[in-house]
Amino acid sequence: MTQAIDSTDFITLEGLEGAGKSTAMAFVREWFEARDRQVTCTREPGGTPLAEQLRDVLKAVRDEPVAEPTELLLMFAARAQHVERVIRPALSAGGVVICDRFTDSSRAYQGAGRGLSAEVIEQLAAIAHADCNPGLTFWLDVPVALGLERAAARETADRFEREALAFFERVRGGFAALAARFPDRIVQIDGTQPLPAVRAQIESTLEARYG
């Protein structure tokens, strides 16, 4: 049996495509590194060679439609590998882990967006990372149209980014519901603010939680 760990220093970043998670991750990393903490920055799906291969499978545009349960199971397969090979060891060594997306994305995308069972998602979460849950989550919230406009400006649209606006509206609603459900963990950040304001809100939260 895997030894239980303290995941207080496990921080996740959530939001739609183009919400600004990568920039926010840099702000969080710099705050902890300025305090001489060992920081691991990673992402989902991905984070290990095998999980990155599954990421490519999940995001690729293909002729064969991906069944919704297949998408969900591949997400958690990548997550289980990621937790065991990267997240858990880094936390066990006393480091800080900052992750671009985690299970809240599955709850929002596959749950609220695809309409898959919330109960099944929680069962898979218990299998993949029973005791390894974020201590803090920043939700970078932007209007759907703005997020997709930003995403389109930087790269070719992947399979998820080609979804209809209604799908992303459901996903955004899913994130909002999670923020209401877990107010002590999830901090909503207005991603339309100027970057200095985003940074200030993130740093004030970190100071309150970890200072």
Side-chain angles (χ1 to χ4, degrees), residues 1-4 84 88 130-131:
M1 179 178 294
T2 304
Q3 184 176 1
E84 290 305 312
R88 187 182 295 279
D131 67 326

Side-chain angles (χ1 to χ4, degrees), residues 1 13 42 91 129 131 166 182 192 207:
M1 179 178 294
L13 299 148
T42 188
L91 292 172
H129 58 94
D131 67 326
F182 302 110
T192 67
E207 186 66 36

Side-chain angles (χ1 to χ4, degrees), residues 4 40 42 58 62 80 83 89 100 130 151 160 173 179-180 185 192 200 203 208 210:
T40 298
T42 188
L58 281 160
R62 63 185 72 250
V83 168
D100 183 340
F160 287 95
R185 174 173 65 84
T192 67
E203 291 182 345
Y210 300 98

Side-chain angles (χ1 to χ4, degrees), residues 47-165:
T48 79
L50 174 56
E52 289 290 333
Q53 290 178 2
L54 292 173
R55 178 188 180 91
D56 292 341
V57 170
L58 281 160
K59 294 175 76 71
V61 177
R62 63 185 72 250
D63 292 333
E64 178 186 4
V66 178
E68 292 172 352
T70 302
E71 179 180 282
L72 179 66
L73 292 169
L74 286 172
M75 286 288 184
F76 273 99
R79 182 163 298 133
Q81 183 74 4
H82 188 206
V83 168
E84 290 305 312
R85 300 297 297 171
V86 174
I87 297 174
R88 187 182 295 279
L91 292 172
S92 296
V96 175
V97 175
I98 311 168
C99 190
D100 183 340
R101 299 197 183 282
F102 198 61
T103 296
D104 286 329
S105 277
S106 293
R107 293 172 176 130
Y109 279 77
Q110 285 75 52
R114 303 287 191 212
L116 294 178
S117 165
E119 181 180 358
V120 169
I121 291 172
E122 297 309 322
Q123 289 172 342
L124 291 172
I127 293 170
H129 58 94
D131 67 326
C132 190
N133 294 288
L136 173 65
T137 298
F138 289 108
W139 169 35
L140 282 297
D141 182 34
V142 295
V144 170
L146 175 60
L148 293 180
E149 179 183 343
R150 289 177 176 177
R154 68 176 186 239
E155 60 187 12
T156 303
D158 62 33
R159 187 174 66 84
F160 287 95
E161 291 166 347
R162 297 188 181 200
E163 290 287 346
L165 286 176

